Amino acid sequence: MVELFYDKDADFAAMDGRKIAVIGYGSQGHAQAQNLHDSGLDVVVGLREGSRRWKQAEGDGLKVMTVEDAAREADIIQILMPDEIQADVYNEKIAPGLESGNALVFSHGFNIHYNQIVPPKDVDVYMVAPKSPGHLVRRTYKEGAGVPGLIAVYQDATGNAKALALAHARGVGCTRAGVIETTFREETETDLFGEQVDLCGGVASLIKTSFEVLVEAGYKPEMAYFETLHELKLIVDLIHEGGLEKMWYSVSNTAEYGGLTVGPQVINEESREAMYIALERIQNGEFAREFVLEGKTNHAVLTSMERLENEHPVEVVGKKLRAMMPWLNSELNEE
């Protein structure tokens, strides 16, 4: 049985006299920094000089410094920047200011697990990973609730790393909902697998292929869009609220029977084998090496794939149909 940690298990005393530097102010950075600050912890934001986020962070009531100064002044340095730039920023601007007994914090284990960042042995290394986009991390906190999260300890130099991780998770608001302890390896490999096979890669490919099949069979692109992409949100919302059970209960008998009989024919043993291949590439570091090299070439392949994705017919017709639904954009703006 997995143990869950709540507010009662996390003591802010572990943070007494310690300053937290949140490096980066994007989706997770802005949310976690504000939540930590509102929890009464001593927080500073580290950004590069000239960053467009600088005034935003100051406007949110936070002290802002350069990355170098923030890392040098803080005792706990939380790196919340894109995976592909973390190692360079760490080596150039964070590592020189580290002192024995400091702590490095991550919300994704990629750079530690794949040895892109190799911390000194005399600092704590732990993870606090909210299982939610940043806007929900912030919104639920302001509402007096929180999102579930993960903690992990990679290196316990002081003997206090787990206590720090729990206190940190409480400051972010995760212990209000419940926190699970994991490892850097488990978090990294399962996260990458989910992104590639299911949540992002698999879903996008399923949408595009099913759209193509309907259009090639002579159906209107607009009809294909509604049935293969637009209505997906209705199904995902049901699954999110109550699992597959609620989804099957909520749809028609026709949809349930057709889905249960045909789904396994589409996502079949060949699909399962492709998933295992993807998992092996994640486990053996092949994907990480490829992704790091992609970053070194200024994302040449990714830029090309993004262009092709944007030109796909499901996107072309989708832009026209979404223009008929102005509430979609208003929902995004509210977030």
Side-chain angles (χ1 to χ4, degrees), residues 79-144:
I79 305 177
L80 291 176
M81 308 180 82
D83 289 329
E84 63 269 30
I85 67 173
Q86 283 189 16
D88 287 341
V89 172
Y90 170 79
N91 289 324
E92 295 171 10
K93 300 183 178 182
I94 296 174
L98 280 180
E99 297 179 356
S100 179
N102 283 172
L104 285 173
V105 190
F106 299 84
S107 286
H108 180 39
F110 184 95
N111 278 278
I112 291 291
H113 180 55
Y114 292 118
N115 295 314
Q116 299 305 296
I117 292 177
V118 181
K121 297 296 184 184
D122 58 354
V123 303
D124 291 332
V125 182
Y126 65 86
M127 180 193 304
V128 174
K131 298 308 293 178
S132 168
H135 70 272
L136 282 179
V137 174
R138 182 58 180 159
R139 188 168 76 196
T140 55
Y141 180 93
K142 290 167 67 177
E143 293 170 349

Side-chain angles (χ1 to χ4, degrees), residues 32-45:
Q32 295 197 45
Q34 289 183 75
N35 289 5
L36 290 165
H37 175 266
D38 289 353
S39 293
L41 300 173
D42 188 6
V43 180
V44 61
V45 173

Side-chain angles (χ1 to χ4, degrees), residues 20-37:
I20 304 168
V22 175
I23 309 300
Y25 206 69
S27 174
Q28 285 293 330
H30 91 276
Q32 295 197 45
Q34 289 183 75
N35 289 5
L36 290 165
H37 175 266

Side-chain angles (χ1 to χ4, degrees), residues 321-331:
L321 293 177
R322 288 193 294 272
M324 300 164 54
M325 298 175 274
W327 62 86
L328 295 178
N329 286 328
S330 65
E331 287 177 2

